[in-house]
Amino acid sequence: MKFIWGKKEFTLMIIPGANRQTVRIKLPHSSLYVVPSVIILVLTGFCVTIYLMNTTFHQTTSTMQQSFDGQERQLVDQITLKNNELEQLQNNLIDLSQQADEFKVKLEEIKKLEHVIQLMSETDGTSKKSGALPSGMASRPNPDVGGAEVPVTSQEVTTLVSSTKQDLTSLVGEINTVLVNLNASEVKLKEAEQLRTITPTLWPTVTHSITSGFGLRKDPFTLKPSMHAGIDLDGELNDAVYVTAAGKVIEAGYDDEHGNHIIVDHTRGLQTEYMHLNKMLVKRGESVTKGQQIGLMGTTGRSTGTHLHYEVHKNGVQIDPSPYLINDRKDDH
């Protein structure tokens, strides 16, 4: 290649080799400046492009690194939070298991109470035996403990979850059974208390001296055999006379045979009668409580001296009061 300079232009000659035609290219003189400038501009643009791409790459890489670091920190925080939550759940599960054990102890105490109620309400003194306290249960709320710290395994947690679930399911069933039994026992206890209240088990007087018992005897006036339908209790004039069971006064009056007398109905076919009173302290239709004073001892009516004639009627038939004389008034109140 060879340049041939002219005034306003130059010729670019390309000699390819022997036996080949020479190529001549005429270029303006200004191209000597333009071409290098273009080349320089192209190279400059290329370099700028490479620089910008490199800068963008580094910025993108930095941004991605920052984003990755942020996501990594966020992931680590989430993992830490999940681990803390898992540890808290494990602690809650352990607490729940301990509470279930404590609840077992309370349930056994309730069973004991149920057993006592059943004993109180059963007339024959028999009831279903309740279970004993679980073995190995701590009697103190905060026992002294110790031991090495061993990490909890997932298998141990799973086992504890299963065991606690079974315990709670069993406890719910036992609680339902106990509640049913307690309700039944409460009904029986109320019935027993009501029966005790309306059953004439008290002595009607302070004295326990019986001057004439129930059954056949010689009549004190005619000296002929006669049926004594109650018992005579000795005492002094105006000694207190008490009703032997709760009920309602169905008669309070006077006649020549019974004198001042009171009849109290206790329901369930039981009635009691108090005769020869010097004074009556209740009226017909009045409700009385067990052990309440209802009159004063006297000798009115067909009587040879101061005493109380006391009768018990069952379904309209006069029966021996002696089996009912169980408690002193002070023992029952």
Side-chain angles (χ1 to χ4, degrees):
M1 181 176 67
K2 183 177 180 181
F3 290 100
I4 301 175
W5 294 90
K7 293 182 179 181
K8 294 183 179 180
E9 60 182 17
F10 63 90
T11 302
L12 178 63
M13 295 179 63
I14 300 174
I15 305 175
N19 302 323
R20 291 189 180 182
Q21 187 177 359
T22 300
V23 178
R24 296 173 181 270
I25 300 174
K26 291 183 178 183
L27 298 172
H29 187 268
S30 60
S31 63
L32 183 61
Y33 304 100
V34 173
V35 172
S37 299
V38 171
I39 292 173
I40 291 173
L41 288 174
V42 170
L43 291 175
T44 302
F46 178 75
C47 291
V48 171
T49 301
I50 293 300
Y51 174 77
L52 292 176
M53 290 179 62
N54 186 51
T55 302
T56 303
F57 173 76
H58 282 294
Q59 290 178 348
T60 303
T61 303
S62 177
T63 302
M64 292 178 63
Q65 183 66 37
Q66 292 176 357
S67 176
F68 176 77
D69 292 340
Q71 292 178 356
E72 184 181 16
R73 285 194 298 270
Q74 185 178 4
L75 182 60
V76 170
D77 292 341
Q78 290 179 351
I79 292 175
T80 303
L81 179 61
K82 294 299 181 183
N83 288 336
N84 292 336
E85 290 178 351
L86 179 60
E87 183 179 352
Q88 184 63 38
L89 286 175
Q90 291 174 348
N91 290 331
N92 291 341
L93 180 60
I94 293 173
D95 291 340
L96 181 62
S97 177
Q98 293 175 348
Q99 290 174 1
D101 291 338
E102 293 173 0
F103 197 79
K104 287 180 183 178
V105 178
K106 297 299 181 182
L107 182 59
E108 293 303 326
E109 293 177 0
I110 294 175
K111 286 183 178 180
K112 286 185 177 181
L113 177 61
E114 174 197 4
H115 181 62
V116 172
I117 293 177
Q118 287 178 345
L119 287 177
M120 293 174 63
S121 60
E122 292 289 342
T123 56
D124 58 359
T126 60
S127 64
K128 186 178 179 181
K129 186 177 181 180
S130 61
L133 283 172
S135 60
M137 296 301 295
S139 60
R140 292 186 298 168
N142 295 308
D144 297 330
V145 295
E149 181 180 2
V150 180
V152 178
T153 65
S154 58
Q155 180 63 35
E156 291 172 336
V157 173
T158 301
T159 302
L160 183 58
V161 169
S162 177
S163 175
T164 303
K165 182 178 180 181
Q166 291 177 359
D167 287 344
L168 291 177
T169 301
S170 176
L171 284 174
V172 170
E174 291 188 42
I175 289 172
N176 289 334
T177 301
V178 168
L179 289 177
V180 171
N181 292 338
L182 281 176
N183 289 334
S185 298
E186 183 181 10
V187 171
K188 291 180 180 179
L189 191 60
K190 288 181 178 179
E191 291 178 352
E193 176 62 21
Q194 175 65 15
L195 184 61
R196 185 194 67 83
T197 302
I198 64 175
T199 302
T201 57
L202 298 183
W203 284 79
T205 57
V206 174
T207 177
H208 294 180
S209 176
I210 299 176
T211 57
S212 181
F214 178 87
L216 293 176
R217 71 170 184 177
K218 287 184 179 180
D219 185 88
F221 292 96
T222 65
L223 301 179
K224 295 179 179 179
S226 65
M227 178 64 186
H228 190 222
I231 59 173
D232 291 337
L233 293 168
D234 193 17
E236 300 294 332
L237 184 65
N238 292 327
D239 279 353
V241 174
Y242 305 100
V243 65
T244 55
K248 185 176 182 179
V249 178
I250 60 173
E251 186 173 339
Y254 175 87
D255 62 46
D256 292 338
E257 185 173 348
H258 301 112
N260 292 321
H261 64 283
I262 297 171
I263 300 178
V264 179
D265 181 56
H266 309 289
T267 71
R268 298 195 178 190
L270 283 175
Q271 295 178 348
T272 54
E273 186 170 3
Y274 311 80
M275 302 180 189
H276 311 305
L277 300 173
N278 189 45
K279 185 177 181 180
M280 297 177 292
L281 302 179
V282 293
K283 298 179 180 180
R284 181 177 181 178
E286 186 175 339
S287 295
V288 292
T289 58
K290 191 170 187 176
Q292 176 181 336
Q293 184 177 351
I294 59 174
L296 301 177
M297 189 180 296
T299 182
T300 59
R302 195 171 184 267
S303 170
T304 61
T306 301
H307 73 286
L308 172 70
H309 178 88
Y310 173 65
E311 293 184 3
V312 175
H313 306 165
K314 187 171 184 180
N315 298 323
V317 178
Q318 296 155 319
I319 61 175
D320 187 1
S322 298
Y324 287 90
L325 300 177
I326 300 175
N327 302 107
D328 290 336
R329 192 179 69 90
K330 60 181 180 181
D331 295 335
D332 206 67
H333 291 270

